[in-house]
Amino acid sequence: MKPSRSRKEQRQDNILSALEANPAQRVNQLAEELDVSTETIRRDLAELDQAGRLSRTYGGAIVAQNRFEPLLNDRINLNVAERQAIASRALQEVAGEEALLLGGGATMLQFARVLRNIMRRITVITPAYPIALELSSNPLIEIVLLPGGFEPQERMVCGPETIRAVERYRAPVVLIGASGVSIDGISEAMLGVGEVYSAMLASAGRSYVLADHSKFEKRALVLLDRWHDGLSLITDREPAAELSAALRRNGSGLLLPD
């Protein structure tokens, strides 16, 4: 006879089902929906995270099977030549700036490796530990590492403390990566990371998204920004006609390697 499922197993399956239907749900929402305490939900989320069945975010979680893209450690070795070309093109655009607000991710890591050779003083503000470490070899670069709760899979900080810190700065230029680039705009797979990037974009006068062609025609969990005249795409090849038209229609720049 097949053993009966425990109450905890059933509850954890219900949590996964609820997150599949709405990945933005928070701990208190799940507790109310399942009629248990928030402490019980947090324990269940921790167990499911340890088992690899979901990925924790600030205040909630995303079901692991729904991850939009590979983890950072896996992405670093993908499309390296394309990302290097994008990084070099991006440096041409911002080499004269006094301060930059930089996101994390594989393409931004390539940008940091180009930027670290700059021969003048510049301030870089970032929530991403790999970016800060990469730039730390150049004493001319002043690094401001933002506070917040550490997200180990992307190796950056997230949460309300990070967002409040972002809002205190007014760097003239923001550069971020993206999980998806579509006619709607740019998007991010991880909720906590997306909230930080949205705050970064809102704080800047000029923004660049660095994304290779593998991100074209994809829409991830969090829509970070729609195309507008303050947002430009730096990529390795010309997008398809519909996406190119969306950028032109909304005044966004499209920058390709020389």
Side-chain angles (χ1 to χ4, degrees), residues 2-77:
K2 185 177 180 178
S4 60
R5 294 169 57 76
S6 70
R7 181 179 300 178
K8 182 173 75 170
E9 288 173 330
Q10 184 61 56
R11 185 177 63 246
Q12 291 184 353
D13 280 350
N14 290 339
I15 290 172
L16 292 172
S17 297
L19 289 171
E20 284 178 341
N22 179 12
Q25 286 196 82
R26 296 292 197 265
V27 167
N28 59 341
Q29 293 173 300
L30 291 167
E32 182 177 351
E33 183 175 332
L34 299 176
D35 194 25
V36 295
S37 68
T38 56
E39 289 76 12
T40 296
I41 293 295
R42 289 192 178 95
R43 284 196 299 269
D44 285 339
L45 290 174
E47 290 181 13
L48 290 166
D49 188 14
Q50 189 174 12
R53 299 181 69 188
L54 56 72
S55 299
R56 293 296 303 273
T57 65
Y58 179 80
I62 298 174
V63 178
Q65 293 89 333
N66 285 349
R67 288 196 62 87
F68 188 83
E69 61 182 355
L71 300 180
L72 177 60
N73 281 343
D74 299 320
R75 301 198 312 272
I76 286 173
N77 297 317

Side-chain angles (χ1 to χ4, degrees), residues 164-222:
R164 285 194 296 269
V166 168
E167 291 170 347
R168 289 199 296 269
Y169 293 102
R170 285 295 181 267
V173 179
V174 166
L175 297 96
I176 62 169
S179 302
V181 176
S182 69
I183 60 172
D184 295 325
I186 57 175
S187 53
E188 165 59 39
M190 299 189 69
L191 178 62
V193 174
E195 290 172 340
V196 172
Y197 286 173
S198 293
M200 290 170 63
L201 292 167
S203 75
R206 193 163 93 253
S207 303
Y208 297 91
V209 56
L210 281 54
D212 66 77
H213 65 276
S214 68
K215 308 300 178 63
F216 292 171
E217 314 302 337
K218 292 182 178 179
R219 167 71 188 268
L221 175 66
V222 183

Side-chain angles (χ1 to χ4, degrees), residues 102-171:
L102 304 184
T107 307
M108 289 304 304
L109 184 58
Q110 293 294 341
F111 176 74
R113 289 171 178 169
V114 174
L115 181 64
R116 71 183 175 188
N117 297 316
I118 198 167
M119 298 303 293
R120 64 174 184 79
R121 293 195 176 277
I122 187 171
T123 299
V124 170
I125 306 161
T126 183
Y129 280 44
I131 302 301
L133 287 172
E134 197 68 42
L135 297 175
S136 64
S137 61
N138 186 340
L140 294 174
I141 302 176
E142 179 184 7
I143 302 165
V144 178
L145 188 60
L146 296 174
F150 188 62
E151 201 326 293
Q153 293 167 338
E154 290 298 299
R155 287 182 273 170
M156 63 177 282
V157 292
C158 302
E161 188 176 4
T162 310
I163 293 170
R164 285 194 296 269
V166 168
E167 291 170 347
R168 289 199 296 269
Y169 293 102
R170 285 295 181 267

